Amino acid sequence: RATHPATPQRAVCVMWTVDDRWRTRWPREGQADVRRKRGRHGEQMAREWLEREGFVIEASNVRFRVGEIDLVAREGTTLCFIEVRARTSFAYGGALASIDDRKRRRLVRAAQVYLNGRGVQPESARFDVVAIDRHGDGPPMVELVRGAFDATS
C-alpha cells in the first residue's frame, strides 16, 4: 500500500477506502461549534435532571490527559462518574449504544486519576450513563443507567 500523503490541517478525518484511495472529509462551517453547543446543552439537561433525582454534583467537565469525565456526583455515599450521551437519531443505535470499549477505558483511567488526585477513597464508586434521546419535536427521553459498566469491563 502507498503511504499517506500529508493532509491539510483542517481535515476532520482521513480514511482508506476500498478502492485504495485516500479520502478526506472536510467540516462544514461551524459544524464543530454546533456539536459542542449540543453537548453542553445535553450535559446541562442531565445535570438538572440528576439534581432533581437527588444527586449532588461535585464537578463537571473534568479533563485529564487520559480522558474526560462529564459529571462527578454523589448519590448518598456513592461517588458516581457520569457520562452524558445525547443523540437526535437512532441511526447508529441511540445514545447508549454510542459508548464503546475505548470510551469506557478512557473513563476508567480518568476516574483513577481523579481519585488519586483527591487522596481520599470513597466508600463506593460506580460508572453511570445518562442517555438523552431526542427525536423530532417531542420532549427528550432521559434514561439513567446506574452501574452501566465497571472498571474491569
Side-chain angles (χ1 to χ4, degrees):
R1 293 191 173 211
T3 58
H4 177 299
T7 57
Q9 289 287 10
R10 61 186 192 123
V12 170
C13 69
V14 177
M15 62 193 100
W16 195 263
T17 60
V18 178
D19 60 354
D20 287 341
R21 293 187 185 159
W22 284 101
R23 192 173 93 200
T24 305
R25 196 172 86 201
W26 304 96
R28 284 180 268 154
E29 195 61 39
Q31 187 178 9
D33 294 333
V34 170
R35 239 187 337 260
R36 203 172 298 118
K37 218 181 260 187
R38 276 190 204 142
R40 276 192 232 115
H41 179 70
E43 287 175 13
Q44 183 60 36
M45 189 184 307
R47 179 186 195 117
E48 291 167 4
W49 189 88
L50 289 166
E51 287 173 338
R52 282 195 304 272
E53 294 294 312
F55 285 76
V56 177
I57 307 298
E58 287 192 1
S60 61
N61 295 318
V62 181
R63 289 184 176 93
F64 300 105
R65 283 184 72 187
V66 295
E68 176 188 1
I69 305 167
D70 291 334
L71 296 169
V72 179
R74 283 201 178 273
E75 184 178 38
T77 58
T78 303
L79 186 64
C80 306
F81 298 100
I82 303 169
E83 174 67 10
V84 178
R85 298 302 250 196
R87 292 291 182 268
T88 57
S89 168
F90 280 120
Y92 299 102
L96 283 176
S98 69
I99 301 175
D100 58 7
D101 289 338
R102 181 173 177 249
K103 181 63 177 177
R104 286 187 197 115
R105 285 191 302 272
R106 292 179 66 90
L107 285 167
V108 168
R109 284 194 301 257
Q112 289 168 339
V113 173
Y114 181 84
L115 290 173
N116 289 339
R118 293 184 58 197
V120 177
Q121 297 299 316
E123 285 182 32
S124 63
R126 69 174 187 237
F127 294 93
D128 295 350
V129 174
V130 173
I132 303 170
D133 285 301
R134 170 174 274 168
H135 306 287
D137 295 332
M141 297 181 309
V142 180
E143 180 182 1
L144 169 65
V145 180
R146 288 178 171 92
F149 58 92
D150 58 30
T152 59
S153 62

